[in-house]
Amino acid sequence: MSTENLINEAIRSIVDGDEDAATKIANTVIAEGINPIGVINDGFAKGMIKVGDLFANEEYSLPEVLLSAEAMQKAIDLLTPHIPGEELEKKLGSVVIGTVQGDMHDIGKNLVGI
């Protein structure tokens, strides 16, 4: 599968909230030795932006946003160890992020953290 197809499928998996599809795409990226950064930025992240737009337009409910966020998190967890070291070293600074202790509604923090 071409990188362009993987990116389009990554977007679709997040918009659909399809954790299985997202992890399958992540595993394909790993198996084919593709740099995960492009698929993360141009695929999974753009999918989440679309989900945010759908939520803002009241086309998606909060549970649908949560499904999409969970699918993205699973894919990112799989891909993170495969990000090339030189990509990880490109730091512009540090950011501290958190929520109120015990708050179960930490989706915003998690999305920003991703």
Side-chain angles (χ1 to χ4, degrees), residues 2-95:
S2 73
T3 303
E4 183 178 334
N5 286 342
L6 280 172
I7 288 170
N8 290 332
E9 289 297 318
I11 292 169
R12 185 173 302 119
S13 71
I14 300 305
V15 172
D16 292 346
D18 188 342
E19 185 178 311
D20 291 337
T23 56
K24 181 179 176 184
I25 292 161
N27 285 321
T28 300
V29 168
I30 294 164
E32 293 185 11
I34 298 169
N35 185 341
I37 295 294
V39 177
I40 291 170
N41 291 337
D42 297 333
F44 295 123
K46 285 188 179 178
M48 206 62 221
I49 289 169
K50 285 187 178 192
V51 169
D53 291 343
L54 290 166
F55 181 72
N57 292 331
E58 298 181 359
E59 295 176 50
Y60 267 22
S61 63
L62 187 56
E64 290 167 306
V65 174
L66 291 172
L67 286 174
S68 295
E70 288 174 11
M72 182 171 174
Q73 185 64 56
K74 294 286 185 178
I76 299 295
D77 288 346
L78 289 171
L79 292 172
T80 299
H82 300 278
I83 296 173
E86 63 271 7
E87 295 288 339
L88 293 175
E89 293 172 6
K90 293 180 182 176
K91 289 177 99 177
L92 298 175
S94 296
V95 175

Side-chain angles (χ1 to χ4, degrees), residues 48 65 68-69 72-73 106-114:
M48 206 62 221
V65 174
S68 295
M72 182 171 174
Q73 185 64 56
D106 61 353
I107 186 172
K109 172 195 62 90
N110 293 340
L111 291 175
V112 170
I114 291 170

